[in-house]
Amino acid sequence: KRIAFARIMQESNALSPVPAELVDFTTAHYLEGDELVAATTRGPEVPGYFKRAELAGFMSAAKDRGGEVEAVPILSAWASSGGPLSRACFETLEARLIELLKAAGPVDGMFLALHGAMGVIGIRDPETRLLHAARSVIGDVPLVVSHDLHGNLTKERVDACDAIVAYQTNPHRDHAAIGAKAGRILIQTVLGEIKPTMAWRTLPLLLGGGNTIDFLTPMRPVFRRMKRMEDQQALAASTFMVHPWNDDPAIGWSTLVITDNDPAAAEAMADELAEMCWERRFDQPPEFPDAR
């Protein structure tokens, strides 16, 4: 099975007056084809930042399946956090994604690493537009997405793909592990071994800073519960704590759980995570270790 993989990633701050341009990607991290394969197998994936990240994790998952899967490199474009992308910058990256997917020929699935909180001047929900762009080429084959847990989910984005998997650490330190998890879900779906079912809940909640650290209260029980869900039944469990400096009418926290063809279980677990987040109304400051 031929599975395409790509990344277009930047976290945007709507309050910045300085738009991100194509040069911000090309001077930070931009790879295609054989160069992308080399970066995601031998490393470093993003020089100066990550030896292994989402795409290297995906490549590991593909390697584990031996000759059952051919990983088809498309592109990887990453830029540091900054202002929203200019429309010209975004449309150039979008057009290149489409061009390279067409050149790659038919594929049986696709993994796309996105931040989840990218902004573009004049375009609402640009990352869903990227999913639609990919769909316009690959058709109705499995499409799995990884996100930073600060991603802002929308109904359109959930509807546009087969699975979304978020980081489970904050500060983030599990990029490669999440890429591998997304890769396993995608590969098993392509091979007909599983049928992912998503349940998503959105919350009218905004909060940033120390209250959202994964190993401190009040969020530690939520992260632990996600791990237990995955140990027991879920293919993936995610809590999106959203990047609050974004400009979207639907901004807010959300929870998302993926099961293997068990919608009732997915709905129940997504509900449970949403209730846990809502009950921790963050009235108290986080508890830090004694050493200060």
Side-chain angles (χ1 to χ4, degrees), residues 103-158:
V107 296
D108 301 289
M110 183 172 183
F111 169 55
L112 186 55
L114 303 173
H115 185 280
M118 175 189 286
V120 175
I121 296 171
I123 300 176
R124 188 201 164 209
D125 198 2
E127 284 156 314
T128 297
R129 177 163 154 172
L130 289 175
L131 296 182
H132 291 160
R135 279 274 186 229
S136 72
V137 181
I138 66 174
D140 189 23
V141 299
L143 174 59
V144 173
V145 177
S146 68
H147 266 2
D148 189 303
L149 58 73
H150 291 107
N152 181 53
L153 293 192
T154 63
K155 181 180 185 301
E156 294 79 10
R157 196 174 314 159
V158 174

Side-chain angles (χ1 to χ4, degrees), residues 170-239:
N170 186 40
H172 313 318
R173 52 196 184 275
D174 61 344
H175 305 75
I178 295 307
K181 182 192 298 183
R184 288 190 296 270
I185 292 172
L186 173 58
I187 292 166
Q188 290 177 311
T189 304
V190 168
L191 295 176
E193 297 172 352
I194 61 172
K195 183 180 179 181
T197 303
M198 285 193 292
W200 167 61
R201 298 290 181 272
T202 182
L203 293 162
L205 177 63
L206 285 177
L207 188 77
N211 280 306
T212 63
I213 300 299
D214 67 287
F215 50 82
L216 300 176
T217 57
M219 286 304 296
R220 181 168 54 196
V222 177
F223 282 89
R224 288 180 173 177
R225 182 61 184 136
M226 288 192 290
K227 294 288 189 183
R228 288 197 300 271
M229 287 176 173
E230 292 183 348
D231 289 340
Q232 295 166 357
Q233 186 175 10
L235 297 174
S238 302
T239 296

